[in-house]
Amino acid sequence: MILSVDPATGTELARFTPQSTVDVEVALDAAAGAQAHWRTLDVTERVGLLRELARVLRAGKEKYARLITAEMGKPLGEAEAEIEKCAVTCEHYAGQAATYLADRPIPPDSVVVHDPLGVVLAVMPWNYPFWQFFRFAAPALAAGNGIVLKHAGNVPQCALAIADVVRDAETPEGLVQVLLVESGAVAGLIADDRIAAVTFTGSTEVGAIIAAQAGAALKKQVLELGGSDPFVVLADADVPAAAATAVKARFVNGGQSCVNAKRFIVEEAVADEFVREFTAAAAALEVGPLARENLRATLHDQVGRSVDAGASLLLGGKPADGPGYFYPPTVLDHVTPGMAAFDEETFGPVAAITRVADADAAIAMANRTEFGLGAALWTRDLARATALVRRFEAGAVFVNGMVASDPRLPFGGIKKSGYGRELGAEGIREFTNTKTVWRGPGSTSFAPSVLRPADLPAHNRGGGASTVPLVTRAIGARAFLNGTTHFEGGAGIPLHTHNCPESVVILEGSAIVEIDGVEHHLERFDTTYVDAGTPHRFRNASTTEPMRILWTYASVEATRTIVATGVTTRVDAEHAKVSQSG
């Protein structure tokens, strides 16, 4: 039996009989059949569904938020924010999926394409019951995949509500299946030939089981697992701002998030100030319930073992009396390696503070964990921070802020926090087959033709650089805007962005390329790739010898915007038009 229980009272809300084997078979057949057609649609057609999903989510925001609060206990305002974030993510991929999935030409004879894998099994957790699903589903659907959802056992009503959202958005029948089954059914789903890949968010222990099962079936996995994120405060940080942000980073969602800051590593020079500010703010928080009684029991055990090992209990540390699964905001000081609050993931409102001598010790302590999901670094010296962030063993480092997911940015971890990425361009490509297509000289179906539109003459880029635009088209396939730019000795072009990805090959000489603030030195025949919207520029590394590059945009209608001036040049190569604005 699958139960829905109110964590604030401990009372049962609803119960459901798990679906039968026959029901599961029907669902898998339907998903496979629907996906076989869905994959044939162009991505520009598929993203219409994402816009509808966003609309339905917003229309039912209050209803869905109340359901989240009822089943897992988070504050209603946070639940509403979760629904809004789902809608924003759907809209993001509706606008960017075509760019993220664009064919990437590799001059002179190849192209890389992204095909969907098939039906993806999503085994999802309870702590963000809508967000965890939609952050995966939006890119997976845009990429042409189907979905089978096996949700956490304690949020069955949220799972059924997701099925309602999918239906109300007029998703093609069968494409997204929501199964109410026990955890024991997951192994059979993974092994089923109709499942092409698996995504899982949850504990490291269960993630290892999922990985073993998927590995035995040779199926792609993305695993977002546990975390013990460090929040590092250096002596030159804005301590009041760091402490205020630290409270939110630790206690949002009742402390029940993989990317909650859990270990606060503070330089000794400012530790007393930080602890004072942090503890006072934590004491003012309203107590909320944890999602389940066993979670509260585990957390309290970790607190007790840490105190027994020498940690100082500054706040909380005792389960609340009365019904429900309440545990107060708890602060432990003088936490060191070997204590439960440092070594283990604390999934609830418990903060562990560790004092260190200097920045080197802080980073060493931050990395002293089996996890590697996120990290935060607080310092006023941003030049120093640029060097320090490279030393963190984590999938993300946030400077002077709290770790959070963003649909524009890849999200995931290393070590026992899992592997693979969600969100951003990387997230949509995880569940695709990255396919290389090479066009041989005898392959007429892929024979390239090069056109030089009459109205697109070579033009002077200024500063000793000139460009010749071309259009390359593979017969029966998409056309790409490309061309060459010639740089005289010492010449360069200003920092700019494009509305589409760009591939560049150095044809002659050597180049210095700056991409998103980082410089790279490229020699002849080296290649580089720049995502849409990323600021970049090229310059000739030599002051005497010429340099020439071959560039290719993943589009035939491209824009180039100069960062300093905002002037935008638009080139529509299909119709041989050039226009400028700004």
Side-chain angles (χ1 to χ4, degrees), residues 28 31-32 35 116-124 133 136-137 139-141 143-150 175-177 189-190 194-200 219-222 430-432:
L28 291 174
Q35 192 273 333
L117 289 183
V119 177
V120 183
L121 171 64
V123 183
M124 293 287 103
F133 173 74
F136 147 75
L141 290 170
N145 295 293
I147 294 172
V148 171
L149 168 63
K150 190 280 174 196
L175 186 64
V176 178
Q177 297 288 333
L189 292 170
I190 292 173
R194 289 161 291 191
I195 296 296
V198 184
T199 182
F200 171 75
K219 293 182 180 178
K220 172 70 179 289
Q221 318 130 47
V222 169
E430 282 284 7
F431 293 112
T432 64

Side-chain angles (χ1 to χ4, degrees), residues 198-213:
V198 184
T199 182
F200 171 75
T201 299
S203 71
T204 297
E205 293 74 20
V206 177
I209 296 170
I210 296 282
Q213 293 168 344

Side-chain angles (χ1 to χ4, degrees), residues 231-291:
F231 189 105
V232 174
V233 182
L234 300 184
D236 67 341
D238 182 339
V239 175
T245 303
V247 170
K248 182 178 180 181
R250 173 62 270 198
F251 298 111
V252 69
N253 207 48
Q256 301 168 108
S257 172
C258 296
V259 290
N260 277 129
K262 298 180 175 73
R263 296 176 298 133
F264 298 86
I265 300 167
V266 188
E267 273 198 77
E268 188 65 58
V270 295
D272 287 344
E273 180 186 2
F274 177 86
V275 169
R276 183 172 60 252
E277 299 254 359
F278 182 90
T279 304
L285 296 174
E286 185 176 346
V287 176
L290 299 186

